[in-house]
Short mmCIF file of all heavy atoms in Angstrom, two decimals:
data_model
loop_
_atom_site.label_atom_id
_atom_site.label_comp_id
_atom_site.label_asym_id
_atom_site.label_seq_id
_atom_site.Cartn_x
_atom_site.Cartn_y
_atom_site.Cartn_z
N THR A 75 -112.54 -182.16 -56.81
CA THR A 75 -112.28 -181.44 -55.56
C THR A 75 -111.04 -182.00 -54.88
O THR A 75 -110.18 -181.24 -54.42
CB THR A 75 -113.49 -181.52 -54.62
OG1 THR A 75 -114.65 -181.03 -55.30
CG2 THR A 75 -113.27 -180.73 -53.35
N ASP A 76 -110.94 -183.32 -54.81
CA ASP A 76 -109.77 -183.96 -54.18
C ASP A 76 -108.48 -183.53 -54.86
O ASP A 76 -107.49 -183.20 -54.19
CB ASP A 76 -109.89 -185.48 -54.26
CG ASP A 76 -111.08 -186.05 -53.51
OD1 ASP A 76 -111.62 -185.37 -52.62
OD2 ASP A 76 -111.47 -187.19 -53.83
N ILE A 77 -108.48 -183.53 -56.17
CA ILE A 77 -107.29 -183.16 -56.94
C ILE A 77 -106.91 -181.71 -56.65
O ILE A 77 -105.74 -181.38 -56.44
CB ILE A 77 -107.52 -183.40 -58.44
CG1 ILE A 77 -107.58 -184.92 -58.69
CG2 ILE A 77 -106.44 -182.74 -59.29
CD1 ILE A 77 -108.09 -185.32 -60.05
N ARG A 78 -107.90 -180.83 -56.60
CA ARG A 78 -107.62 -179.42 -56.34
C ARG A 78 -107.14 -179.20 -54.90
O ARG A 78 -106.29 -178.33 -54.65
CB ARG A 78 -108.84 -178.57 -56.66
CG ARG A 78 -108.95 -178.35 -58.16
CD ARG A 78 -110.29 -177.84 -58.62
NE ARG A 78 -110.31 -177.47 -60.02
CZ ARG A 78 -110.20 -178.33 -61.04
NH1 ARG A 78 -110.04 -179.62 -60.80
NH2 ARG A 78 -110.22 -177.92 -62.30
N LEU A 79 -107.67 -179.96 -53.96
CA LEU A 79 -107.18 -179.86 -52.58
C LEU A 79 -105.72 -180.28 -52.48
O LEU A 79 -104.92 -179.63 -51.81
CB LEU A 79 -108.04 -180.72 -51.64
CG LEU A 79 -109.37 -180.12 -51.24
CD1 LEU A 79 -110.30 -181.19 -50.67
CD2 LEU A 79 -109.15 -179.00 -50.22
N LEU A 80 -105.38 -181.37 -53.15
CA LEU A 80 -103.99 -181.82 -53.16
C LEU A 80 -103.09 -180.77 -53.82
O LEU A 80 -102.00 -180.48 -53.32
CB LEU A 80 -103.87 -183.16 -53.88
CG LEU A 80 -104.38 -184.36 -53.09
CD1 LEU A 80 -104.74 -185.52 -54.01
CD2 LEU A 80 -103.32 -184.79 -52.07
N ALA A 81 -103.56 -180.18 -54.92
CA ALA A 81 -102.78 -179.14 -55.60
C ALA A 81 -102.60 -177.92 -54.69
O ALA A 81 -101.52 -177.32 -54.64
CB ALA A 81 -103.45 -178.75 -56.90
N ALA A 82 -103.65 -177.57 -53.96
CA ALA A 82 -103.54 -176.44 -53.02
C ALA A 82 -102.53 -176.75 -51.93
O ALA A 82 -101.73 -175.88 -51.55
CB ALA A 82 -104.91 -176.13 -52.41
N ALA A 83 -102.55 -177.96 -51.41
CA ALA A 83 -101.59 -178.35 -50.37
C ALA A 83 -100.16 -178.27 -50.89
O ALA A 83 -99.24 -177.87 -50.16
CB ALA A 83 -101.91 -179.75 -49.85
N VAL A 84 -99.96 -178.65 -52.16
CA VAL A 84 -98.63 -178.54 -52.77
C VAL A 84 -98.22 -177.07 -52.84
O VAL A 84 -97.12 -176.70 -52.42
CB VAL A 84 -98.61 -179.18 -54.18
CG1 VAL A 84 -97.36 -178.80 -54.94
CG2 VAL A 84 -98.74 -180.69 -54.08
N GLU A 85 -99.08 -176.25 -53.40
CA GLU A 85 -98.73 -174.84 -53.61
C GLU A 85 -98.54 -174.07 -52.30
O GLU A 85 -97.69 -173.20 -52.21
CB GLU A 85 -99.81 -174.14 -54.44
CG GLU A 85 -99.80 -174.56 -55.89
CD GLU A 85 -100.83 -173.82 -56.73
OE1 GLU A 85 -101.82 -173.28 -56.18
OE2 GLU A 85 -100.64 -173.81 -57.95
N LEU A 86 -99.34 -174.40 -51.30
CA LEU A 86 -99.29 -173.68 -50.03
C LEU A 86 -98.32 -174.31 -49.03
O LEU A 86 -98.18 -173.81 -47.92
CB LEU A 86 -100.69 -173.60 -49.42
CG LEU A 86 -101.75 -172.89 -50.26
CD1 LEU A 86 -103.13 -173.07 -49.65
CD2 LEU A 86 -101.40 -171.41 -50.42
N ASP A 87 -97.70 -175.42 -49.44
CA ASP A 87 -96.83 -176.18 -48.55
C ASP A 87 -97.57 -176.47 -47.24
O ASP A 87 -97.06 -176.25 -46.14
CB ASP A 87 -95.52 -175.43 -48.28
CG ASP A 87 -94.47 -176.31 -47.64
OD1 ASP A 87 -94.51 -177.55 -47.84
OD2 ASP A 87 -93.62 -175.79 -46.90
N GLY A 88 -98.81 -176.95 -47.40
CA GLY A 88 -99.69 -177.13 -46.26
C GLY A 88 -99.82 -178.58 -45.83
O GLY A 88 -99.34 -179.50 -46.48
N THR A 89 -100.50 -178.76 -44.71
CA THR A 89 -100.85 -180.07 -44.19
C THR A 89 -102.27 -180.38 -44.65
O THR A 89 -103.19 -179.61 -44.38
CB THR A 89 -100.80 -180.07 -42.65
OG1 THR A 89 -99.46 -179.79 -42.24
CG2 THR A 89 -101.25 -181.41 -42.08
N LEU A 90 -102.44 -181.49 -45.34
CA LEU A 90 -103.75 -181.88 -45.85
C LEU A 90 -104.56 -182.52 -44.72
O LEU A 90 -104.10 -183.47 -44.10
CB LEU A 90 -103.60 -182.85 -47.01
CG LEU A 90 -104.90 -183.34 -47.64
CD1 LEU A 90 -105.63 -182.18 -48.30
CD2 LEU A 90 -104.61 -184.43 -48.64
N VAL A 91 -105.76 -182.01 -44.47
CA VAL A 91 -106.63 -182.54 -43.43
C VAL A 91 -107.74 -183.33 -44.11
O VAL A 91 -108.65 -182.76 -44.71
CB VAL A 91 -107.21 -181.41 -42.56
CG1 VAL A 91 -108.14 -181.98 -41.49
CG2 VAL A 91 -106.09 -180.59 -41.92
N THR A 92 -107.64 -184.67 -44.03
CA THR A 92 -108.62 -185.54 -44.67
C THR A 92 -108.55 -186.95 -44.09
O THR A 92 -107.51 -187.36 -43.57
CB THR A 92 -108.39 -185.61 -46.20
OG1 THR A 92 -109.45 -186.36 -46.79
CG2 THR A 92 -107.06 -186.25 -46.54
N ASP A 93 -109.64 -187.68 -44.22
CA ASP A 93 -109.67 -189.10 -43.87
C ASP A 93 -109.69 -189.97 -45.12
O ASP A 93 -109.74 -191.19 -45.02
CB ASP A 93 -110.91 -189.42 -43.01
CG ASP A 93 -110.71 -189.04 -41.56
OD1 ASP A 93 -109.56 -188.92 -41.11
OD2 ASP A 93 -111.73 -188.87 -40.86
N ASP A 94 -109.65 -189.36 -46.29
CA ASP A 94 -109.72 -190.08 -47.56
C ASP A 94 -108.39 -190.78 -47.83
O ASP A 94 -107.36 -190.14 -48.00
CB ASP A 94 -110.05 -189.08 -48.67
CG ASP A 94 -110.25 -189.73 -50.02
OD1 ASP A 94 -109.32 -190.43 -50.48
OD2 ASP A 94 -111.31 -189.52 -50.63
N TYR A 95 -108.43 -192.12 -47.88
CA TYR A 95 -107.20 -192.89 -48.05
C TYR A 95 -106.54 -192.68 -49.41
O TYR A 95 -105.32 -192.66 -49.52
CB TYR A 95 -107.45 -194.38 -47.82
CG TYR A 95 -107.73 -194.74 -46.39
CD1 TYR A 95 -108.62 -195.75 -46.07
CD2 TYR A 95 -107.11 -194.08 -45.34
CE1 TYR A 95 -108.89 -196.09 -44.74
CE2 TYR A 95 -107.36 -194.40 -44.02
CZ TYR A 95 -108.25 -195.41 -43.73
OH TYR A 95 -108.49 -195.74 -42.42
N ALA A 96 -107.32 -192.52 -50.46
CA ALA A 96 -106.73 -192.28 -51.78
C ALA A 96 -105.99 -190.94 -51.79
O ALA A 96 -104.88 -190.83 -52.31
CB ALA A 96 -107.80 -192.32 -52.87
N MET A 97 -106.60 -189.93 -51.18
CA MET A 97 -105.94 -188.63 -51.10
C MET A 97 -104.67 -188.73 -50.26
O MET A 97 -103.64 -188.15 -50.61
CB MET A 97 -106.88 -187.58 -50.49
CG MET A 97 -107.99 -187.16 -51.41
SD MET A 97 -109.09 -185.94 -50.63
CE MET A 97 -108.02 -184.50 -50.59
N GLN A 98 -104.74 -189.48 -49.18
CA GLN A 98 -103.57 -189.64 -48.32
C GLN A 98 -102.44 -190.36 -49.07
O GLN A 98 -101.26 -190.01 -48.92
CB GLN A 98 -103.93 -190.40 -47.05
CG GLN A 98 -104.79 -189.60 -46.11
CD GLN A 98 -105.18 -190.38 -44.86
OE1 GLN A 98 -104.66 -191.46 -44.59
NE2 GLN A 98 -106.10 -189.83 -44.08
N ASN A 99 -102.80 -191.35 -49.87
CA ASN A 99 -101.79 -192.10 -50.62
C ASN A 99 -101.07 -191.18 -51.61
O ASN A 99 -99.84 -191.20 -51.71
CB ASN A 99 -102.44 -193.27 -51.36
CG ASN A 99 -101.44 -194.29 -51.83
OD1 ASN A 99 -100.54 -194.70 -51.10
ND2 ASN A 99 -101.59 -194.71 -53.08
N VAL A 100 -101.83 -190.36 -52.34
CA VAL A 100 -101.22 -189.43 -53.28
C VAL A 100 -100.42 -188.36 -52.53
O VAL A 100 -99.33 -187.99 -52.94
CB VAL A 100 -102.29 -188.80 -54.20
CG1 VAL A 100 -101.69 -187.74 -55.11
CG2 VAL A 100 -102.99 -189.87 -55.03
#
Side-chain angles (χ1 to χ4, degrees):
T75 304
D76 297 340
I77 290 167
R78 282 165 173 68
L79 281 163
L80 285 158
V84 167
E85 288 182 339
L86 300 171
D87 193 27
T89 298
L90 181 65
V91 179
T92 186
D93 280 339
D94 184 304
Y95 289 145
M97 288 179 71
Q98 290 179 10
N99 196 46
V100 175

